Amino acid sequence: EVQLVESGGGLVQPGGSLRLSCVASGFAFSSYPMTWVRQAPGKGLEWVSSIANGGNTYYVDSVKGRFTISRDNAKNTLYLELNSLKSEDTAMYYCVKGATTDWSTRGQGTQVTVSS
């Protein structure tokens, strides 16, 4: 059974930073690209970033230069470092297995709230 468990969210002031983690189990983590998506209040899911199993990274324009995706295959863990946070980054962040537009295999999410 595939399990994805996110953590690291919280309340942070504008300009602040957070590091999200996603521990994966139930599949060969190192063989799959991985993705972060987010859902802001009242909106649909939005792709944020993906990382290939070889390490290439991809970002939505709105987070380029502020967010960094990485992975530790030895720990079956996916990370997303969030810097220079803005109020519009407020959302539930989900870890997704794979890098297609099928985001159905995702964790329970971790809430990021950016507010002063």
Side-chain angles (χ1 to χ4, degrees):
E1 179 189 3
V2 172
Q3 286 195 323
L4 299 164
V5 180
E6 301 96 335
S7 62
L11 172 63
V12 62
Q13 292 185 341
S17 299
L18 286 171
R19 190 191 196 202
L20 309 184
S21 299
C22 170
V23 178
S25 60
F27 65 102
F29 178 78
S30 62
S31 297
Y32 285 84
M34 295 294 294
T35 294
W36 286 98
V37 299
R38 65 185 179 186
Q39 187 168 26
K43 297 188 176 181
L45 287 168
E46 176 192 30
W47 173 75
V48 176
S49 180
S50 294
I51 184 167
N53 49 334
N56 288 347
T57 58
Y58 309 89
Y59 300 93
V60 68
D61 284 348
S62 61
V63 308
K64 282 181 181 176
R66 300 190 298 121
F67 291 8
T68 303
I69 191 171
S70 62
R71 64 193 299 161
D72 185 336
N73 290 334
K75 296 182 177 180
N76 283 2
T77 302
L78 178 71
Y79 301 101
L80 186 68
E81 184 167 348
L82 290 64
N83 296 311
S84 302
L85 281 161
K86 306 175 181 180
S87 58
E88 51 263 45
D89 296 318
T90 294
M92 185 73 79
Y93 284 71
Y94 299 93
C95 165
V96 178
K97 174 177 173 276
T100 68
T101 54
D102 178 5
W103 300 329
S104 58
T105 304
R106 63 181 187 265
Q108 83 291 344
T110 187
Q111 178 68 40
V112 172
T113 302
V114 184
S115 175
S116 56

